[in-house]
Amino acid sequence: IRKNTRDIYMPIMVRIPTPLRRLTGNIDKVEVDADTLQGVVDALDQAHEGIKARICGEDGEIRHFVNVYVNGEDVRYLDGLNTPTKTGDEISIVPAVAGGH
């Protein structure tokens, strides 16, 4: 709820990595509104079914090969899925890439 018409609402921006874009219809950025990273993941899954299973394992935690950042900070060093989020935050989902020699 906006208290003042001059307030600017900026949703949370989630950057979708290329391997997950087929679940978002090739959209590379998705806007959501949630108070925690868990809420962000749930909102993503509600809008783009199946994305949560790619980010979280059966135990409900972020998969080991997926890195998630809130405003450039690795959530593994914050509060994981309980990391607070607010309007204007930027979240990046980065799957680990294997390869090389």
Side-chain angles (χ1 to χ4, degrees):
I1 298 173
R2 292 185 203 183
K3 295 180 181 179
N4 185 322
T5 56
R6 291 178 291 172
D7 290 345
I8 298 173
Y9 173 74
M10 293 180 56
I12 298 165
M13 180 67 65
V14 182
R15 293 184 178 277
I16 306 297
T18 303
L20 297 181
R21 288 184 193 159
R22 65 182 181 85
L23 297 171
T24 63
N26 278 337
I27 297 171
D28 64 344
K29 294 177 188 170
V30 176
E31 295 178 345
V32 298
D33 188 21
D35 294 333
T36 64
L37 183 57
Q38 180 70 61
V40 169
V41 172
D42 290 342
L44 280 174
D45 197 59
Q46 192 170 25
H48 306 283
E49 188 176 344
I51 201 165
K52 182 176 182 176
R54 307 297 171 124
I55 298 169
C56 298
E58 290 182 12
D59 62 356
E61 295 300 317
I62 298 171
R63 293 182 180 277
H64 293 292
F65 57 86
V66 176
N67 298 310
V68 180
Y69 301 89
V70 175
N71 300 322
E73 296 287 327
D74 189 333
V75 298
R76 294 187 202 284
Y77 301 106
L78 298 174
D79 204 7
L81 288 169
N82 294 317
T83 300
T85 57
K86 62 188 179 317
T87 60
D89 281 352
E90 187 172 297
I91 297 174
S92 298
I93 302 166
V94 184
V97 179
H101 296 279

